[in-house]
Amino acid sequence: MLGENHDLLHEFPDLEEKIAALRAANPDFATLMDRHDSLDAQVRKVEELGTPVADETIEEMKKERLQLKDKLYAFLRA
């Protein structure tokens, strides 16, 4: 869906405490999460405002967001 929020707390609400703990204790996790949240906001802005952007560009942004989410989830599973 266009404009849908994909931040970690929306994706994994049952892991809220673990997300907060990892963000505070692990700088690598915090950096990945910041990048993911920033990219998610950019994608939502493009979708919601209808900003002209090449289809390939938005798809690459979404792929990167998914890769970041996979890396973050790996931290959460460890």
Side-chain angles (χ1 to χ4, degrees), residues 46-66:
V46 166
E47 290 176 341
E48 290 172 356
L49 298 178
T51 306
V53 64
D55 288 343
E56 295 83 13
T57 302
I58 193 71
E59 289 305 314
E60 287 302 315
M61 291 169 70
K62 288 180 178 182
K63 285 178 187 177
E64 182 182 352
R65 180 178 64 186
L66 182 58

Side-chain angles (χ1 to χ4, degrees), residues 3-77:
E4 190 173 312
N5 196 340
H6 289 276
D7 69 37
L8 285 186
L9 295 177
H10 281 89
E11 296 288 325
F12 309 114
D14 54 323
L15 299 175
E16 182 176 356
E17 289 179 22
K18 190 164 187 177
I19 291 168
L22 271 171
R23 188 176 183 104
N26 188 318
D28 293 332
F29 182 85
T31 299
L32 287 174
M33 190 166 170
D34 288 344
R35 176 65 184 141
H36 178 273
D37 290 348
S38 173
L39 194 54
D40 183 48
Q42 290 174 4
V43 169
R44 281 196 328 270
K45 184 177 179 181
V46 166
E47 290 176 341
E48 290 172 356
L49 298 178
T51 306
V53 64
D55 288 343
E56 295 83 13
T57 302
I58 193 71
E59 289 305 314
E60 287 302 315
M61 291 169 70
K62 288 180 178 182
K63 285 178 187 177
E64 182 182 352
R65 180 178 64 186
L66 182 58
Q67 290 170 343
L68 288 165
K69 184 169 68 171
D70 288 345
K71 289 177 184 178
L72 290 163
Y73 187 66
F75 274 98
L76 292 168
R77 287 189 10 221

